Amino acid sequence: MKLIVFGATGSTGRQVVEQLLAKGHEVTAVVRQPGKFEMAHDRLIVIPGDVLDPSSIMAPMVGKHAVLSALGANHRKPTTVYSEGTNNIMLAMQEAGVRRLICLSASALEIPPDTPFVPQLIIRLIVQRLFKNLYEDMQRMERNVQRSGLDWTIIRPPRLTDSPSTGEYRIAVNEPMTKAKGLTGISRADLADCMVSLLNNPASFQALIEISY
């Protein structure tokens, strides 16, 4: 497949690009500063672009089969990178006739009903307050994606770690993750594996995906 990745310079985005290449796909990575993206491969094209500048991502979208977005913010200040950035991606997709979108949100937006009392308090009183601005923008993004009519998948991972891939994670489709291990997190490598594995999975189209060990 011919795929385009946004957020490729982040830790998760790099994993996504590496795993897509390992599976034989042709990958276009759109990054703001190509000089900071050292990865090279004969099936990888790295081009400058900014999701907050719609004109910079229109041309690279043409001819692609799917979009994988690992957009993120490395601060806790008010942001529109999730909502506005993803909106611009979807506009480019619609212009180019691309229907498949996989993007990332966060599990802390909704606390699973069986979450133990102490982890629930930590999420409500610390995590949700600490990352309030980011989560508010993720919620805006989710609403916009769900109204898009595209073949979208939103993945809500817990805390991300740099641990190695295990390939032994669980997912829940359009329902809370049962017996989630709360604050243990999931590796970026396993999250990337999940994103790649869902590319051609119709059961994940127009679905919210929870992921956990």
Side-chain angles (χ1 to χ4, degrees):
M1 296 176 71
K2 294 182 178 180
L3 306 170
I4 186 167
V5 178
F6 295 92
T9 53
S11 299
T12 301
R14 287 176 181 271
Q15 288 280 349
V16 171
V17 172
E18 289 177 0
Q19 294 190 31
L20 289 172
L21 292 171
K23 291 185 179 296
H25 298 292
E26 296 179 27
V27 180
T28 296
V30 179
V31 299
R32 284 184 296 173
Q33 297 175 295
K36 292 186 176 181
F37 192 76
E38 306 86 3
M39 199 181 305
H41 194 283
D42 58 2
R43 280 183 278 102
L44 172 65
I45 299 173
V46 181
I47 62 170
D50 185 343
V51 293
L52 298 181
D53 176 9
S55 64
S56 71
I57 63 175
M58 289 291 184
M61 189 68 70
V62 175
K64 302 304 184 293
H65 298 114
V67 175
L68 297 95
S69 172
L71 291 178
N74 58 3
H75 58 76
R76 298 198 297 269
K77 297 179 289 187
T79 184
T80 61
V81 70
Y82 298 99
S83 58
E84 185 181 349
T86 305
N87 270 355
N88 289 337
I89 288 171
M90 292 190 295
L91 286 172
M93 291 176 66
Q94 289 162 351
E95 189 73 21
V98 182
R99 292 200 49 80
R100 184 70 175 118
L101 169 66
I102 299 177
C103 60
L104 299 180
S105 185
S107 64
L109 292 186
E110 290 186 33
I111 303 174
D114 65 343
T115 302
F117 180 71
V118 173
Q120 192 173 135
L121 277 182
I122 293 173
I123 294 171
R124 287 189 191 282
L125 300 181
I126 299 177
V127 178
Q128 288 184 342
R129 292 183 180 182
L130 195 61
F131 297 99
K132 176 178 180 290
N133 292 318
L134 304 188
Y135 291 162
E136 286 179 349
D137 198 42
M138 287 180 192
Q139 289 175 326
R140 291 190 288 267
M141 176 197 73
E142 288 196 1
R143 288 194 294 269
N144 294 338
V145 170
Q146 290 168 1
R147 291 195 292 256
S148 69
L150 297 169
D151 294 330
W152 55 267
T153 300
I154 298 171
I155 303 177
R156 289 175 167 176
R159 180 179 60 87
L160 299 178
T161 75
D162 292 320
S163 301
S165 174
T166 68
E168 297 180 355
Y169 54 84
R170 299 174 298 130
I171 65 171
V173 182
N174 287 326
E175 62 183 14
M177 173 65 72
T178 58
K179 297 181 181 177
K181 295 184 180 178
L183 302 178
T184 57
I186 195 161
S187 74
R188 292 177 172 87
D190 280 331
L191 175 58
D193 181 83
C194 178
M195 294 176 73
V196 174
S197 70
L198 293 176
L199 266 172
N200 294 311
N201 184 343
S204 70
F205 290 7
Q206 300 190 344
L208 279 167
I209 304 290
E210 299 276 350
I211 180 171
S212 180
Y213 289 128

